[in-house]
Amino acid sequence: MNDALLLVDVLNDFRHDDGVRLAESFRDVQPLLRDVLASAHDTGLPIIYANDHFGDWTADRGAIVERALNGACGDLIPPIAPCDDDIFLIKPGYSAFDDTPLRLVLADLEIERLLLAGAALEMCVAQTAIAARERELKVSVVVDACAYVSWEDAEIALEYVTRVAGARQIVWRQVPVSSVTGRNSSPAPR
């Protein structure tokens, strides 16, 4: 099965409604998000960033990274910023599928399953999980690598995406990357 890691809205300046609460949660999950990203790089998984453009239609990857670096959690951004060979998409809405070329990217890469992480769990991550399932992709939401504004709302969203949409929930600390992706978590010998 062909997998990809999809990171939703991990580049954020947190200067918006609910930004303070989301930033607090982001600080807690960033170390795990960093580990998930490192494992994806080590195992050769395609990594796709789908990020809000904050209303700036002239923004590109560099501008969005710069905005996040200058934001409330700027110190946490460098280890999770996209590498040159990572795919970067700008998303104007909640779902990473809405009005983006994500569907085309996944088809081109022959992706069948998404590992999904990012922010906010109860909003953009949940909407992306639902949209992926509607497109008949398998989805595993990496719960402990997702920031949230309200844990109560996140639990409701997780129940919905699991029970109704059919996504899986995984806890990265409890699941080795090879059992999720079918790939060895160790880098290949050099």
Side-chain angles (χ1 to χ4, degrees):
M1 178 161 312
N2 292 329
D3 301 317
L5 174 62
L6 177 57
L7 301 175
V8 177
D9 289 339
V10 298
L11 303 171
N12 199 318
D13 66 3
F14 303 99
R15 293 184 183 128
H16 50 77
D17 292 344
D18 298 321
V20 171
R21 289 190 301 176
L22 185 58
E24 289 172 6
S25 175
F26 185 79
R27 283 198 177 279
D28 292 339
V29 304
Q30 188 271 359
L32 225 8
L33 187 57
R34 186 185 62 228
D35 292 349
V36 170
L37 192 54
S39 291
H41 278 294
D42 289 348
T43 58
L45 281 183
I47 298 168
I48 304 165
Y49 288 75
N51 216 91
D52 193 324
H53 63 11
F54 309 104
D56 180 359
W57 287 105
T58 64
D60 60 8
R61 174 194 309 228
I64 291 171
V65 170
E66 188 65 29
R67 182 177 176 136
L69 287 168
N70 291 320
C73 295
D75 58 310
L76 303 178
I77 299 302
I80 62 167
C83 296
D84 289 341
D85 58 344
D86 295 334
I87 298 165
F88 188 87
L89 305 173
I90 292 176
K91 66 177 201 59
Y94 285 109
S95 170
F97 286 91
D98 291 345
D99 301 315
T100 74
L102 180 57
R103 179 186 59 78
L104 300 171
V105 170
L106 297 176
D108 188 53
L109 296 173
E110 300 179 347
I111 299 301
E112 301 165 281
R113 179 173 49 194
L114 292 174
L115 299 176
L116 188 55
L121 175 54
E122 68 273 36
M123 294 177 227
C124 298
V125 173
Q127 290 295 324
T128 300
I130 293 165
R133 292 295 297 140
E134 288 172 344
R135 288 156 178 83
E136 299 184 7
L137 292 163
K138 293 179 179 6
V139 177
S140 294
V141 178
V142 187
V143 178
D144 51 347
C146 290
Y148 53 84
V149 173
S150 160
W151 180 245
E152 182 180 346
D153 290 347
E155 285 181 311
I156 293 167
L158 280 171
E159 183 173 353
Y160 184 86
V161 300
T162 303
R163 294 181 70 186
V164 177
R168 288 181 57 208
Q169 294 181 42
I170 60 172
V171 177
W172 195 258
R173 292 176 236 241
Q174 298 172 357
V175 181
V177 71
S178 59
S179 69
V180 176
T181 65
R183 299 176 187 201
N184 185 344
S185 62
S186 304
R190 296 177 196 229

